[in-house]
Amino acid sequence: MRVAVYCGSGMGKNPIYAEKAMELGTVLAQHGHGVVYGGSKIGLMGKVADAVLTAGGKVVGVMPTHLQTHEIVHPSLTEIHFVESMHNRKAKMVDLSDAFIALPGGGGTMDEYFEVFTWAQIGLHEKPVILYNINGFYDLLLQHFDRMIEEGFIRANQKSLIRVATTAEEVLEIIK
Ligand code: AMP
């Protein structure tokens, strides 16, 4: 499978984020899964890509041309696609991937996660969308999802689209 990984262009304060990002990259590669991501060598994004490549896996980067200077292009990717815009990046990543995983990150990661989550909600795809809740980072978001369900803004039958993993093994189990 090819798995899109969305994650921070920063590293986060706690070293556990980088450790778990690298562990996930290694485990995905060891199980023969390729990774699709934003193509940058900075932050957690770079850590995931490095780990997949070190473990002998394939990494496809999708980089908008205007971001090239901010997000330094990873020099050793298996494949890199340059695209015109953020919209094209997200669309290309969706086309290339069979599943989506969001690791901790900032607004960009959330944007990417919610786009593929909401597309699943309205039936535009049936690929799994996983929140990898490292270090409890997404606990408050998960509480908020509960509130959206309680208050009737996410239908109960859509709850199954909110897939959560707390270990790399659980991520593998979901994408299997
Ligand atoms: P962040 O989680 O904010 O560190 O960003 C992670 C990735 O999302 C980076 O590759 C950013 O370029 C990208 N990104 C940031 N803002 C947006 C946005 N509005 N739409 C799509 N991607 C974004």
Side-chain angles (χ1 to χ4, degrees), residues 6-10 37-40 42 45 62-64 67 71 86-87 89-90 103-112 115:
Y6 304 127
C7 60
S9 53
Y37 86 120
S40 137
I42 57 174
M45 299 170 74
V62 184
M63 174 68 75
L67 266 190
E71 294 191 12
M86 299 302 258
H87 286 116
R89 177 199 243 179
K90 290 190 289 183
L103 275 63
T109 303
M110 283 291 84
D111 175 81
E112 291 163 325
E115 182 165 282

Side-chain angles (χ1 to χ4, degrees), residues 124-163:
L124 290 178
H125 70 79
E126 292 183 352
K127 304 171 186 178
V129 180
I130 304 166
L131 264 184
Y132 186 8
N133 189 17
I134 297 168
N135 192 37
F137 181 76
Y138 285 122
D139 287 353
L140 293 176
L141 178 61
L142 293 171
Q143 276 181 34
H144 195 63
F145 268 132
D146 285 340
R147 184 147 175 82
M148 290 184 209
I149 294 162
E150 275 162 28
E151 296 294 328
F153 290 108
I154 292 183
R155 288 195 293 278
N157 66 356
Q158 295 175 327
K159 199 179 171 182
S160 59
L161 298 175
I162 305 164
R163 315 291 299 265

